[in-house]
Amino acid sequence: MFNKGFTKDSRGARRKLGRKGKPLRKQLFNGHGKFNDAPRPFEAENRNTLGHWEADTVIGTKGKVCLVTLVDRRSRFLLAAKASKKDALSVSNAIVNLFSGLASDKRKTITLDRGSEFALYKSFGSVSNINCYFSDPHSHWQRGTNENTHELIREYLPKDMTLIPETYIQSFTHKLNTRPRKYLDWKTPYKVFYDKVLHLI
């Protein structure tokens, strides 16, 4: 299911493609032996167990600020935080902070895409005590929970995320986590994730 990478011949052919005079730049993390290519475990695939996450970033149309999102595959429970840049260090710090308040049994695996913003996966994986896996290139459906959640998130995000406060992010995250979902038998992500009802005042 997961990418085996380019063959030696295909890499050579790729180098020979015309690029209108522009040199082919070597990418820091392009899937060629830099990522963990082991398939994520079956319990992460079948959605029957809590603690298996998908991670991604949402980029505003203005500025360099991005939103880091983590979604539990079983419950669709969302964690989100703003990062000042879409770079490896900023995204890594955001992931560590988001996971810091969760019990260890709620942090089992995380599936990432192969963008350079996740280059420090060994570091945040070790700090957060979570196993990191990667989807195939151009295979967004392998992180479909994240993709569907982003459609909901974009209803709340302005084009320029630079000035939005953390309180606003937590506000719409709370709304999404307490919204009943049809595919959860009309339970909320919060109810499924914590196995309790959040009593609103």
Side-chain angles (χ1 to χ4, degrees), residues 36-83:
N36 173 18
D37 279 322
R40 62 188 175 192
F42 178 71
E43 65 174 8
E45 290 285 346
N46 64 18
R47 299 180 184 272
N48 289 336
T49 309
L50 296 171
H52 299 285
W53 300 81
E54 296 177 12
D56 206 350
T57 55
V58 181
I59 308 172
T61 57
K62 298 180 180 179
K64 298 180 179 180
V65 172
C66 72
L67 188 74
V68 179
T69 63
L70 307 175
V71 186
D72 177 68
R73 285 174 56 78
R74 167 70 182 92
S75 65
R76 279 69 167 184
F77 187 77
L78 169 66
L79 299 173
K82 186 169 68 172

Side-chain angles (χ1 to χ4, degrees), residues 67 82 158 161-172:
L67 188 74
K82 186 169 68 172
M161 293 190 287
T162 306
L163 299 179
I164 61 172
E166 188 65 30
T167 52
Y168 177 73
I169 295 173
Q170 297 312 309
S171 175
F172 73 71

Side-chain angles (χ1 to χ4, degrees), residues 177-190:
N177 283 333
T178 55
R179 178 190 294 183
R181 310 289 178 89
K182 182 178 180 180
Y183 41 74
L184 296 176
D185 294 327
W186 300 110
K187 298 183 180 72
T188 68
Y190 184 96

